[in-house]
Amino acid sequence: MSAVAYWFRHDLRLGDNPALCQALAHADTLLPLVCLDDHWQPHSPWPFARLSPARQRVRADAIAALDAALQARGSRLLVLHGAPQQVLPPLLARHGVQRIVAEDIAAPEEQAQVAALRLAGFAVDTVWQSTLLDPASLPFAPAVLPASFTAFRQRVEAAGVRPPAPLAAPARLPPPPAGVDWQPLPFIDVQPDPRSSLPWHLPAAHAGEAAGLAHLQQYLARDLPRTYKATRNGLVGQDYSSKWSLWLALGSVSARTLYAALQGYEAQHGASDGSYWLWFELLWRDYFRLLHVQYGARLYRGRGLHGQPPAPMADAAFARWCQGRTGHAFIDAGMRELAATGYLSNRLRQNVASYLLHDLGGDWRAGAAWFEAQLVDYDVYSNQGNWLYLAGRGTDPRGSRRFNPDKQAADYDADGAYRRLWGTR
Ligand SMILES: Cc1cc2nc3c(=O)[nH]c(=O)nc-3n(C[C@H](O)[C@H](O)[C@H](O)COP(=O)(O)OP(=O)(O)OC[C@H]3O[C@@H](n4cnc5c(N)ncnc54)[C@H](O)[C@@H]3O)c2cc1C
């Protein structure tokens, strides 16, 4: 038994957190901490800040909720500002902590952080926990995924693979070491545009764990999974899709917790096409995670898994796309919603990405970086995977995906209400 640091990453919760449980098994004292690298801009090749105020706000909210939950269990969250590999070594040396436990993240920057900490002499135990399915339960090795999402899903379903049950939150936590210089929690005072489909400034969509679980319960209690398949291509409002992405991205609720609740819902209300389709979408999320396990940094090359590097794009054209001033009313409405709210429906994400790639000839990495900066539900795996997929540089056998924006507007915004809402028509 010893002094252990638990480093919260994209898992800002106590419930169903296997990595945290592993840390508890070894700890006499436990120092829970989070690192906010607010100075990411110098590391980005793109001419905009890497983290919008909206993203900072939801992260601050989730951190405040986590700290409150830790305090209720006899502990507390230490907030550090800076890159983990820079701020952790001196701090942990001061407190005699040699072991760090954290969730495993199979993305290049996050892996480099862990590698640097190991190089600095720390024992860093990383625990894989962000997929719905346990990789060890799959009928294939994660490093040799079936070549397409459809083949992946079919093999998972044919093998009857199901997620493990979620773990309970620990009732008590070991005390932190003595003499910690506790820092104030971050506070960001920013609100989304009131037209938001995901009003993260309101208590019902607060980014913390308890609000996420309450959101889940009300979503199921109102029988919304039943209609999900029919409504999921909606563009306006809070109920057309689940909005689980906010809590999943911050890790304030785990995919296994969502799925267990969905099973409970099905037992009570019956299964439907809609409830099945939520499982289907969560499998997409797993697929992009496992794709990272298989291909790693290759997913981040300009050429992706194959093809040529993207051609350079004029800065002015990219800026017009970011600002919602391309001249195409449907696309501009989407880009304005994204900038004003930090959220966008899946339908519009597909359309604006396709427009940048296939109508403007843009660089998919620049588009992915703009989404990273803006999306309150930014998730490194899902963002990179979806952009790569639409750019035709991933594993999709059908090549790149161009959406015809005129037809899409006619099909999904026939009366123009969405374009009027965002002032482009
Ligand atoms: C270019 C592009 C970039 C994207 N970037 C992100 C991102 O950074 N973070 C993110 O969470 N999702 C991303 N998505 C996927 C998807 O658009 C969002 O997950 C979804 O719109 C979030 O809203 P929701 O929770 O209401 O989704 P719902 O439709 O209710 O779906 C339920 C859950 O299933 C998962 N899911 C649904 N669609 C996808 C998908 N295509 N890929 C992976 N998981 C999916 C999500 O976890 C989502 O919360 C992106 C899609 C595109 C086309």
Side-chain angles (χ1 to χ4, degrees):
M1 298 293 267
S2 58
V4 174
Y6 187 76
W7 172 24
F8 284 97
R9 303 178 90 191
H10 305 317
D11 60 331
L12 300 174
R13 65 174 182 276
L14 298 186
D16 193 37
N17 193 327
L20 177 63
C21 292
Q22 179 163 320
L24 295 179
H26 296 287
D28 290 321
T29 64
L30 183 82
L31 179 55
L33 55 87
V34 66
C35 297
L36 308 183
D37 193 349
D38 296 334
H39 304 291
W40 272 350
Q41 175 60 14
H43 309 310
S44 162
W46 312 108
F48 45 84
R50 215 170 152 183
L51 204 62
S52 69
R55 272 196 69 195
Q56 294 180 43
R57 160 76 194 259
V58 295
R59 189 184 62 178
D61 287 351
I63 284 173
L66 177 62
D67 180 58
L70 287 166
Q71 295 215 24
R73 290 164 174 80
S75 187
R76 189 171 172 183
L77 185 66
L78 177 61
V79 178
L80 299 165
H81 293 270
Q85 58 272 38
Q86 281 158 7
V87 294
L88 289 184
L91 170 96
L92 298 184
R94 248 191 336 273
H95 293 288
V97 177
Q98 267 303 309
R99 180 169 297 278
I100 304 168
V101 184
E103 81 164 347
D104 193 3
I105 303 178
E109 282 184 9
E110 287 79 355
Q111 291 199 321
Q113 294 170 343
V114 170
L117 287 166
R118 287 188 177 139
L119 208 60
F122 292 94
V124 189
D125 299 341
T126 55
V127 179
W128 183 262
Q129 60 178 3
S130 77
T131 38
L132 175 64
L133 303 173
D134 177 355
S137 70
L138 298 174
F140 39 78
V144 212
L145 279 186
S148 67
F149 169 71
T150 303
F152 164 78
R153 178 183 56 78
Q154 286 169 345
R155 291 205 43 202
V156 164
E157 290 180 342
V161 180
R162 282 291 178 256
L167 302 177
R172 296 286 305 166
L173 291 166
V180 175
D181 182 14
W182 301 102
Q183 299 295 312
L185 297 177
F187 173 73
I188 311 290
D189 189 14
V190 59
Q191 297 191 357
D193 184 289
R195 292 168 286 184
S196 175
S197 294
L198 177 51
W200 35 262
H201 65 304
L202 299 178
H206 187 279
E209 182 172 6
L213 295 173
H215 171 83
L216 170 63
Q217 288 313 325
Q218 64 80 31
Y219 184 79
L220 302 177
R222 291 194 295 137
D223 207 12
L224 288 174
R226 184 172 309 286
T227 48
Y228 169 73
K229 192 171 179 207
T231 63
R232 75 200 156 92
N233 283 313
L235 310 182
V236 182
Q238 296 177 36
D239 292 338
Y240 64 79
S241 66
S242 73
K243 308 299 188 304
W244 291 346
S245 57
L246 174 69
W247 293 278
L248 283 169
L250 291 156
S252 40
V253 179
S254 77
R256 286 182 295 249
T257 297
L258 295 171
Y259 180 77
L262 188 62
Q263 273 191 311
Y265 158 88
E266 284 186 339
Q268 208 183 341
H269 297 257
S272 59
D273 282 357
S275 61
Y276 167 78
W277 215 260
L278 283 159
W279 147 266
F280 179 102
E281 297 294 3
L282 290 175
L283 285 188
W284 263 113
R285 181 177 173 276
D286 269 18
Y287 180 68
F288 288 133
R289 283 168 153 66
L290 295 169
L291 213 54
H292 274 70
V293 174
Q294 182 171 11
Y295 292 108
R298 289 172 64 192
L299 302 176
Y300 291 75
R301 302 184 305 194
R303 60 193 293 264
L305 296 182
H306 46 78
Q308 295 300 314
M313 179 186 183
D315 289 350
F318 181 68
R320 281 198 298 277
W321 178 79
C322 294
Q323 294 158 5
R325 301 198 182 285
T326 66
H328 195 291
F330 191 54
I331 301 304
D332 288 347
M335 295 307 290
R336 289 180 197 188
E337 179 186 3
L338 174 62
T341 71
Y343 181 81
L344 200 56
S345 64
N346 185 55
R347 178 60 39 194
L348 257 299
R349 288 183 208 208
Q350 291 176 321
N351 270 277
V352 300
S354 161
Y355 194 79
L356 178 75
L357 298 170
H358 305 301
D359 293 70
L360 300 177
D363 184 333
W364 70 277
R365 294 167 303 171
W370 182 251
F371 269 36
E372 171 181 348
Q374 301 300 317
L375 284 173
V376 290
D377 64 8
Y378 169 69
D379 174 276
V380 60
Y381 308 101
S382 294
N383 196 52
Q384 197 74 10
N386 274 287
W387 275 95
L388 200 68
Y389 179 77
L390 290 169
R393 295 167 189 277
T395 55
D396 182 15
R398 282 174 292 182
S400 63
R401 296 292 180 95
R402 178 177 185 270
F403 288 68
N404 176 337
D406 296 329
K407 181 172 182 329
Q408 291 277 311
D411 288 350
Y412 296 103
D413 187 32
D415 61 1
Y418 180 70
R419 281 161 286 177
R420 277 195 301 282
L421 183 67
W422 293 101
T424 61
R425 178 172 154 160

